[in-house]
Amino acid sequence: MRTQLTTYFARLFAGDLSAFGGPATDDAVAGHIRAEQMSLVLGYSVGIMLANACNAIVLAIALWASPDRTFALIWAGTVAAAAIAFGVQSRAARRITKPHFVSQRAMHRLVRNAFLLGAAWGIVPVAFFANASTGGQLVITCLCSGMLAGGALAFATIPIAAIAFTAPIFVGIAICLGRNGDLAFLLIAFLVVVYGSVLLRGVFVNSFSFARRVMRQIEAERTVRQDPLTHLPNRFAFNETLDAALKRLALSGEEFAVLLLDLDRFKEVNDKFGHPAGDEFLVQVAGRLQRCTRAAEHVARIGGDEFALVMANLARPEDALEIAERFVVAFDEPFQIEGRQIVGATSVGIVLAPRDGNMALDIMKNADAALYRAKKAGPGTVCFFEQADDRLSRDRKALQADLEGAIARDELFLVFQPFLDLDENRITGFEALLRWQHPSRGLVPPSEFIGIAEETGLIHEIGEWVIRRACATLADWPEDIRVAVNFSASQFHDTAILHTIVQALADAKVSPCRFEIEITESMLLSKYGSAASILNALLQLGVTVALDDFGTGFSSLTYLRKLPFSRIKIDQSFIRDMLVQPDCAAIVKSVISLARDLNIAVVAEGVETADQLEYLRQVSCDEVQGYLISRPVSADSVLALLNTKKYRAIYAA
Ligand code: C2E
Ligand code: MG
Ligand code: MG
């Protein structure tokens, strides 16, 4: 009960309107409202203090002939001096930038000062009215009414301060009038009560609407700075925090760190389980990340699955590393989403300012470069920025710029790697693999540029070129030979791909059943994506679909039920190890037998030795692909390869 009363009075004297039944707020908002109230009062204060000083001097003159002259002079001198001192002080306070938060204690001081000043004026009618001349009494009456109205105006947004200031004056007037039984004075007393009530009512109405307006403004500012999904600060708020840290760095040399996070395989979660699950995942991730930071520091969501943190006043780089490691560990436990367990991970890039940059652009660019290296090293990696990253990222940018004109400059070409059917001992088709002949770097492998093409969206243009070129090449091959083309997930986000394939097949006059699409497990979108419908439309056309790199993605056989696949391509990592690791052999064998039950053919990728080929024959694998049979060859060499008797001899058992 006592603590309740204490907090009530603390709120009351801090100008909190909920103490009067006004809108209730949390501490942060209350502090913000106090800051606005205080700034308004400071805005008036110079004028009001000048008025106080003037009034005190006027009173001293009016009481010059009164027997209380000495006391009146002392009083006026004190009040005028205090008013001038306070006016000068508040002028200085106004020059400093407006704070966003004012403490309860600062407001308590303001209310106390209002009371002291009010009390000083409350003394006037009590001490000087009785002995004053009629003119002096008139001046006192005018001054007291003026102070009441002026005080109410000055503290119009802070009722408790208005009360603290005006109450002593009311009391002073009441004592003064009460001592004198004259009817005229009683009438004046009645008027004072009426004016006082109207004034107070006005103060309350005004202050409540002021507080509501500030709250709406805070809410609007919050919306602008908040990510609506996770309620974390957004990119805008992050940039402000970064700018503030840069300002402190310039002013006082305060060092700081920026941690940039990117969720590993978030896209897969989104694609596999749908956007609502992806959203829920992000919300849970946000909660976990926020629990890892130091007090008063907030992780911001600055992109789809990108988060960032500014660590101000950094004592040691190890502190940043410690928080980054906490972020990584926060993903140890799987996430529970819609009754499923989802495993997540994050990579973190760390930049130290000013060591790695003292401008926002450099800092973010370098954080990106560090993050890129972390991601490349695998999920859950933390990397500090190194100068080499900068070179790497510039190199990547240069490669990206070069890739943009690669098609126009005719630098892309396809090579073809055959599939060998183990039953018939003949080549049944070729996989088209993309190559880039860079003018200065030489041959760039797809592992180095497909990722860039996907990130920049160039994959659509490049993918279309691959489809057309593969179909045109296929037209020259025998009827029983197919071509398989690799697709990136993003190519299936646009239904135009359907049209491209149909058109390319028609232009080349080849049957759709000779065209195969290779997709990876991670591309198998849930019902929310457009990919499933595009793939189904292609299947209707007669195009076949192969599941590439099987075993490296989610490794779930349930995918096989999602689409009528013609083929599964067991990833080369299993083939490489199957003769030395029994579990790899077991996987290869069981995938083959399962596929047989489902009536799906199996291709073994990356066959490099005769022993591997022999084993695959024994376990009845349908087709093989790998350097043993042939490395990828140019389009010109395909027909020669098909006709080479020598090759046929090697494949035969
Ligand atoms: P992938 O579809 O799994 O292609 C097989 C990769 O394994 C090819 O590498 C091929 O050269 C290599 N390979 C084949 N046999 C062997 C072997 O016996 N031993 C070893 N160690 N490797 C072998 P490549 O051409 O560098 O392609 C890498 C990946 O790039 C491909 O993996 C595919 O995912 C992607 N890719 C290639 N061309 C395209 C394309 O046109 N579009 C898209 N979206 N992705 C492509
Ligand atoms: Mg492939
Ligand atoms: Mg593959």
Side-chain angles (χ1 to χ4, degrees):
M1 181 65 191
R2 223 173 127 188
T3 50
Q4 265 180 340
L5 264 182
T6 323
T7 48
Y8 175 79
F9 280 113
R11 277 194 296 131
L12 176 69
F13 291 115
D16 197 329
L17 297 177
S18 64
F20 294 108
T25 52
D26 60 32
D27 282 352
V29 174
H32 197 134
I33 294 178
R34 279 195 292 272
E36 295 289 334
Q37 291 168 325
M38 191 77 95
S39 115
L40 268 186
V41 172
L42 286 179
Y44 296 136
S45 61
V46 174
I48 292 215
M49 287 304 140
L50 264 180
N52 265 283
C54 271
N55 287 352
I57 293 163
V58 165
L59 187 73
I61 296 168
L63 295 179
W64 196 255
S66 153
D68 301 323
R69 182 167 80 185
T70 317
F71 181 35
L73 281 177
I74 296 171
W75 178 93
T78 316
V79 170
I84 290 168
F86 190 71
V88 169
Q89 191 194 350
S90 53
R91 211 180 129 79
R94 257 196 338 167
R95 281 212 205 104
I96 305 168
T97 51
K98 188 173 127 188
H100 276 300
F101 187 91
V102 160
S103 65
Q104 283 197 340
R105 195 163 333 137
M107 192 57 101
H108 289 167
R109 271 200 304 274
L110 180 100
V111 173
R112 184 200 61 201
N113 291 344
F115 175 75
L116 289 178
L117 196 59
W121 283 103
I123 289 171
V124 172
V126 180
F128 306 124
F129 194 84
N131 294 332
S133 61
T134 316
Q137 289 186 339
L138 200 63
V139 170
I140 291 176
T141 315
C142 275
L143 282 181
C144 284
S145 333
M147 288 323 281
L148 282 178
L153 172 71
F155 298 116
T157 59
I158 318 169
I160 187 65
I163 292 171
F165 180 78
T166 53
I169 304 178
F170 275 120
V171 171
I173 293 171
I175 293 172
C176 163
L177 297 177
R179 275 205 217 128
N180 199 319
D182 200 322
L183 176 69
F185 284 115
L186 282 178
L187 286 174
I188 295 174
F190 173 72
L191 283 180
V192 169
V193 171
V194 172
Y195 294 162
S197 319
V198 172
L199 270 182
L200 269 184
R201 172 98 189 107
V203 167
F204 275 107
V205 170
N206 179 61
S207 59
F208 281 20
S209 85
F210 173 80
R212 288 203 186 90
R213 202 166 56 239
V214 174
M215 282 164 76
R216 276 199 302 275
Q217 181 193 329
I218 294 170
E219 187 53 37
E221 283 184 15
R222 216 179 246 178
T223 319
V224 172
R225 289 177 174 73
Q226 195 180 53
D227 167 45
L229 177 67
T230 60
H231 300 301
L232 292 182
N234 58 15
R235 183 180 272 278
F236 181 72
F238 170 80
N239 286 341
E240 283 184 336
T241 315
L242 180 59
D243 281 344
L246 283 165
K247 277 206 186 95
R248 285 196 304 274
L249 173 70
L251 279 175
S252 62
E254 185 190 303
E255 300 186 6
F256 66 94
V258 172
L259 278 62
L260 189 63
L261 288 79
D262 189 291
L263 304 188
D264 293 302
R265 300 168 75 178
F266 167 70
K267 236 176 91 45
E268 287 176 20
V269 173
N270 226 357
D271 290 347
K272 188 178 171 199
F273 302 112
H275 288 288
D279 285 353
E280 175 58 25
F281 180 70
L282 285 173
V283 170
Q284 290 191 21
V285 165
R288 289 196 194 178
L289 292 179
Q290 191 46 52
R291 281 194 287 277
C292 300
T293 61
R294 303 187 295 189
E297 284 184 343
H298 300 279
V299 175
R301 180 175 175 225
I302 60 168
D305 61 346
E306 267 199 338
F307 296 84
L309 172 70
V310 176
M311 285 182 69
N313 203 0
L314 195 75
R316 310 164 312 144
E318 291 81 18
D319 293 347
L321 182 64
E322 189 191 318
I323 300 289
E325 278 167 353
R326 272 195 228 165
F327 285 148
V328 169
V329 170
F331 287 80
D332 279 357
E333 288 277 304
F335 294 82
Q336 296 289 339
I337 288 156
E338 294 176 355
R340 296 194 202 90
Q341 288 211 333
I342 295 184
V343 183
T346 185
S347 308
V348 189
I350 307 177
V351 173
L352 303 173
R355 194 196 78 178
D356 302 331
N358 55 9
M359 287 195 321
L361 208 68
D362 288 341
I363 287 174
M364 291 319 285
K365 195 186 75 194
N366 292 344
D368 231 20
L371 176 64
Y372 181 69
R373 186 158 47 88
K375 277 190 91 73
K376 264 194 124 165
T381 310
V382 177
C383 284
F384 276 95
F385 171 75
E386 287 169 12
Q387 284 308 319
D389 290 336
D390 191 31
R391 276 197 301 282
L392 211 76
S393 99
R394 260 180 302 180
D395 200 46
R396 209 171 136 76
K397 290 234 160 64
L399 206 63
Q400 183 181 319
D402 291 346
L403 188 59
E404 275 167 29
I407 294 185
R409 290 191 302 270
D410 208 17
E411 290 166 5
L412 296 182
F413 64 97
L414 291 179
V415 290
F416 299 89
Q417 189 178 28
F419 303 111
L420 176 76
D421 186 305
L422 292 184
D423 225 15
E424 301 176 27
N425 284 320
R426 71 170 188 98
I427 289 173
T428 48
F430 291 83
E431 176 174 5
L433 294 161
L434 188 56
R435 296 291 178 265
W436 178 16
Q437 184 67 49
H438 191 279
S440 57
R441 293 170 200 254
L443 203 60
V444 187
S447 56
E448 279 181 31
F449 69 89
I450 294 285
I452 296 178
E454 283 170 352
E455 279 163 29
T456 55
L458 275 173
I459 192 71
H460 297 286
E461 194 187 341
I462 293 177
E464 191 175 326
W465 180 88
V466 170
I467 294 164
R468 293 192 178 283
R469 184 52 59 95
C471 287
T473 315
L474 180 64
D476 298 333
W477 296 348
E479 281 289 322
D480 59 348
I481 302 289
R482 71 174 190 274
V483 73
V485 173
N486 292 287
F487 279 79
S488 295
S490 48
Q491 289 179 265
F492 284 99
H493 290 159
D494 186 357
T495 42
I497 190 83
L498 198 62
H499 181 251
T500 306
I501 295 174
V502 172
Q503 195 65 51
L505 288 168
D507 289 349
K509 298 192 180 60
V510 293
S511 153
C513 64
R514 293 174 62 200
F515 189 82
E516 188 155 275
I517 289 170
E518 290 197 7
I519 58 172
T520 53
E521 279 170 277
S522 54
M523 277 183 49
L524 290 177
L525 309 196
S526 67
K527 56 182 179 296
Y528 301 97
S530 54
S533 59
I534 295 177
L535 281 171
N536 276 314
L538 286 169
L539 286 163
Q540 296 276 310
L541 270 178
V543 166
T544 55
V545 181
L547 189 52
D548 202 359
D549 301 347
F550 187 76
T552 56
F554 286 103
S555 308
S556 164
L557 294 170
T558 53
Y559 289 119
L560 298 179
R561 282 207 310 263
K562 282 208 164 188
L563 275 173
F565 289 104
S566 310
R567 243 171 288 279
I568 302 173
K569 298 185 73 179
I570 304 180
D571 189 65
Q572 42 183 284
S573 55
F574 295 95
I575 308 303
R576 191 175 51 233
D577 296 337
M578 73 189 169
L579 295 185
V580 281
Q581 282 183 16
D583 52 338
C584 279
I587 290 171
V588 170
K589 258 201 295 202
S590 58
V591 169
I592 292 173
S593 88
L594 177 95
R596 167 134 322 118
D597 292 344
L598 295 171
N599 209 14
I600 302 175
V602 176
V603 183
E605 291 184 325
V607 178
E608 292 184 354
T609 68
D611 289 345
Q612 288 168 345
L613 183 69
E614 184 48 37
Y615 181 81
L616 290 163
R617 245 187 234 288
Q618 274 173 24
V619 293
S620 310
C621 183
D622 301 283
E623 291 185 351
V624 291
Q625 188 186 22
Y627 293 168
L628 177 73
I629 292 81
S630 168
R631 287 188 175 253
V633 298
S634 68
D636 296 339
S637 316
V638 164
L639 289 176
L641 184 67
L642 282 173
N643 295 325
T644 314
K645 292 264 183 331
K646 190 186 100 201
Y647 276 97
R648 289 179 187 269
I650 294 176
Y651 316 141

